[in-house]
Amino acid sequence: MEQLLKECVGYFKKRDVYKKLFSALRKKYASLGHMGGVIKLSGLSSNEKCDLEGFFKKDLHLEEDVKISYAFMEKSLKNSKFAPLSWEEVLIAYFKEPLIINKDKKEKELNIRNSFFEECALNCHNKIVLKWFLHIFKEKGKGSQIIFKMYNENTKELELFLNKLFAAFGKLPCFEKKLLLLPVFAAKTTGNPHFFDLKTSACKLLLSFIEYFLENKNSHEPDISGREVLSGIEYTEKLLYSAGILKDNVSNTCLVYGLHGVKKDGSIHKGIEGGFIEKEPVQVTLKTLSTLEYLWTGNGTQEIKKIYVVENPAVFSYLADTCPDGAFICGNGQFKLAFYITLELLKGKYTIFYAGDFDADGLLIAQKLKNRYPRQVVLWEYKEEYYKKYLSDVQLDNTALNKLEKVVADELQPVKNCILKYKRAVYQEAMLEIYLPYH
């Protein structure tokens, strides 16, 4: 029988067309789980058809696509000199490997993959990091696609990569109540300052871990809300900040006036206090804000309950000069993390009056702030009469006007409708007189 099988395989090996036929038959077996079905072979040459005809004893030259059923193959084999053999035996000997059913193959691959990740988990010695990792590969948590893709590409590199992640995640600065710049954190934990650069796989997994850690923390949980009203980069910066990591601690700033700062040790922040005493604006950085416990307003025991926030620095400066006893914050266009941290350090104790430009971007900024702090924020002087009174010559194009579709806040509809009608913008700098909070 062994000699017959060898002779049979030799016969088919000499004719290349059978590799096409047997490959198709093997795939059919894998999908069905048994021998059966019909094999379709397209684009065969005249010689290839002749080779098939030699064994199957059937004229195939008139067929553009050759179709051979397994039942016909079985019958042909039994009518040949190789009748004692089965097609299963022939395929195994031809390819020199066992036949595999797809389901069995997937289960085997899954078992191998699970064993790999379980081995990797043994190298993780931090409980919360281990829980996150088990969540990733067992429950398909956020970041699982990244890890599974890397697994399919190179398991050795993935193992080294995961070991670096485990070590780094267990040393988040917030665990030691510290703050570190992102490149510094990366260098200290992995030896590579660019390891956690934004948009890298490592950074995406870092953000996944921070989210998991904050969502599963039992007490004193940092606020990671606002995902629905923050842009992607804003939310990323906030997540990193919650873990004690700063993407940029100097250029990310907020302009304030009339505020006091209390540090985490209970002492007054002298830099911010100097600005209050001298009645000058102070540009606070994320680094400064990270040292504070809270911000407050007022002189002595009398607090100011209203804080005025504006979009543009020129308006901010005008208000500070005109109303030196007031409290003001400048959003400076699109809000940065420092701006949001500043508002959160006010601890919800004040009413925030916000004013910005009357154009599509300005209304969207106002709406974002109102959605973020619905109870604290009052949209300030968004009135149709002011739009018409201070109308500029700046024409808005269709791209800008189309953005107005996203403006849905009730308080902004009068101004929105005016913009759609007149297609022109109104800027804060032209409306200075309406912002005097005490007029």
Side-chain angles (χ1 to χ4, degrees):
M1 187 72 72
E2 185 177 341
Q3 183 59 36
L4 183 64
L5 181 60
K6 185 176 180 181
E7 183 182 346
C8 178
V9 170
Y11 172 84
F12 290 125
K13 286 275 189 181
K14 291 177 181 178
R15 296 157 178 83
D16 292 340
V17 70
Y18 287 99
K19 185 173 183 181
K20 297 179 180 180
L21 176 65
F22 292 166
S23 294
L25 180 59
R26 186 167 63 162
K27 288 181 180 179
K28 184 71 70 172
Y29 176 88
S31 63
L32 295 176
H34 60 84
M35 288 295 184
V38 177
I39 305 301
K40 178 181 176 181
L41 299 176
S42 301
L44 295 184
S45 67
S46 178
N47 288 336
E48 287 177 321
K49 290 179 180 179
C50 283
D51 286 338
L52 289 175
E53 291 173 344
F55 181 79
F56 291 110
K57 312 300 182 187
K58 180 182 179 181
D59 187 359
L60 302 172
H61 275 78
L62 296 179
E63 297 184 27
E64 183 176 349
D65 293 327
V66 174
K67 296 179 181 179
I68 303 175
S69 69
Y70 177 72
F72 179 68
M73 288 183 64
E74 182 75 3
K75 182 178 179 181
S76 299
L77 184 63
K78 296 306 178 187
N79 290 332
S80 73
K81 61 184 294 187
F82 307 124
L85 302 175
S86 68
W87 281 118
E88 287 91 338
E89 292 175 299
V90 173
L91 289 183
I92 292 171
Y94 185 93
F95 289 108
K96 296 182 179 179
E97 58 184 37
L99 296 175
I100 298 176
I101 299 173
N102 284 343
K103 182 181 178 182
D104 296 337
K105 182 179 180 182
K106 288 181 180 179
E107 288 182 356
K108 182 179 180 181
E109 289 174 349
L110 185 60
N111 289 334
I112 293 173
R113 189 180 74 174
N114 288 344
S115 296
F116 169 81
F117 284 121
E118 287 168 2
E119 286 290 327
C120 289
L122 295 176
N123 295 323
C124 182
H125 306 296
N126 181 289
K127 289 184 179 180
I128 186 64
V129 179
L130 180 59
K131 286 182 179 180
W132 165 80
F133 182 62
L134 294 176
H135 171 71
I136 284 290
F137 93 87
K138 286 188 176 181
E139 301 178 36
K140 305 292 192 299
K142 184 182 290 187
S144 60
Q145 290 184 339
I146 295 173
I147 290 180
F148 293 147
K149 182 175 181 293
M150 295 179 71
Y151 171 85
N152 292 331
E153 292 172 349
N154 191 314
T155 56
K156 189 61 179 178
E157 287 186 7
L158 175 58
E159 184 178 5
L160 296 174
F161 176 78
L162 288 175
N163 288 339
K164 288 185 178 182
L165 289 188
F166 295 156
F169 293 175
K171 296 178 181 178
L172 288 183
C174 65
F175 293 155
E176 299 178 8
K177 298 183 179 180
K178 292 181 179 180
L179 276 167
L180 290 177
L181 286 169
L182 183 60
V184 176
F185 168 70
K188 288 174 69 72
T189 57
T190 72
N192 178 3
H194 300 293
F195 189 80
F196 291 113
D197 280 358
L198 296 184
K199 297 185 179 180
T200 61
S201 294
C203 185
K204 291 174 183 177
L205 291 169
L206 171 62
L207 297 174
S208 166
F209 171 69
I210 295 172
E211 276 191 326
Y212 181 85
F213 167 66
L214 295 176
E215 289 169 359
N216 289 274
K217 200 173 179 184
N218 294 323
S219 60
H220 306 294
E221 184 174 324
D223 177 22
I224 59 167
S225 61
R227 186 182 324 186
E228 67 284 357
V229 296
L230 295 177
S231 69
I233 188 64
E234 289 169 345
Y235 185 67
T236 293
E237 289 183 345
K238 189 169 186 183
L239 269 182
L240 292 172
Y241 183 82
S242 298
I245 300 170
L246 301 176
K247 185 176 77 72
D248 179 355
N249 68 346
V250 178
S251 64
N252 197 318
T253 65
C254 182
L255 200 57
V256 303
Y257 177 90
L259 299 181
H260 306 276
V262 178
K263 298 198 292 186
K264 292 179 179 179
D265 63 3
S267 63
I268 295 293
H269 190 286
K270 294 180 180 178
I272 297 175
E273 195 65 19
F276 180 87
I277 293 170
E278 298 296 328
K279 295 190 179 300
E280 293 181 358
V282 177
Q283 188 156 280
V284 290
T285 66
L286 267 182
K287 184 175 182 180
T288 298
L289 292 168
S290 68
T291 66
L292 302 180
E293 184 65 27
Y294 62 91
L295 290 163
W296 63 284
T297 69
N299 290 299
T301 58
Q302 185 176 2
E303 281 194 306
I304 298 172
K305 294 299 183 182
K306 298 178 181 179
I307 298 177
Y308 295 85
V309 180
V310 292
E311 180 181 346
N312 298 310
V315 180
F316 170 86
S317 180
Y318 170 78
L319 290 174
D321 291 341
T322 309
C323 309
D325 293 326
F328 308 102
I329 298 172
C330 181
N332 201 15
Q334 295 295 336
F335 305 139
K336 294 183 178 180
L337 178 61
F339 173 78
Y340 288 112
I341 298 300
T342 298
L343 294 190
E344 288 173 9
L345 286 171
L346 294 169
K347 304 298 183 182
K349 294 172 61 178
Y350 306 93
T351 301
I352 306 295
F353 289 80
Y354 178 77
D357 293 333
F358 290 0
D359 62 3
D361 288 333
L363 296 193
L364 287 170
I365 290 170
Q367 180 172 267
K368 177 188 287 189
L369 192 63
K370 179 67 176 178
N371 289 342
R372 181 80 175 93
Y373 305 100
R375 294 188 213 173
Q376 295 170 252
V377 171
V378 175
L379 298 180
W380 183 30
E381 306 295 15
Y382 284 85
K383 298 178 181 179
E384 180 179 348
E385 62 183 282
Y386 293 141
Y387 177 87
K388 293 178 178 179
K389 182 177 180 179
Y390 298 103
L391 194 60
S392 75
D393 294 328
V394 179
Q395 292 285 337
L396 300 176
D397 60 23
N398 288 333
T399 300
L401 294 172
N402 289 338
K403 289 181 181 179
L404 289 170
E405 294 180 3
K406 299 179 181 179
V407 178
V408 296
D410 291 340
E411 303 99 309
L412 299 174
Q413 295 309 301
V415 173
K416 169 187 172 180
N417 292 332
C418 284
I419 297 174
L420 288 171
K421 180 178 179 179
Y422 294 98
K423 297 179 174 57
R424 285 192 277 170
V426 175
Y427 298 106
Q428 278 198 297
E429 291 86 345
M431 300 186 286
L432 293 176
E433 60 188 358
I434 74 170
Y435 294 127
L436 290 176
Y438 310 114
H439 75 300

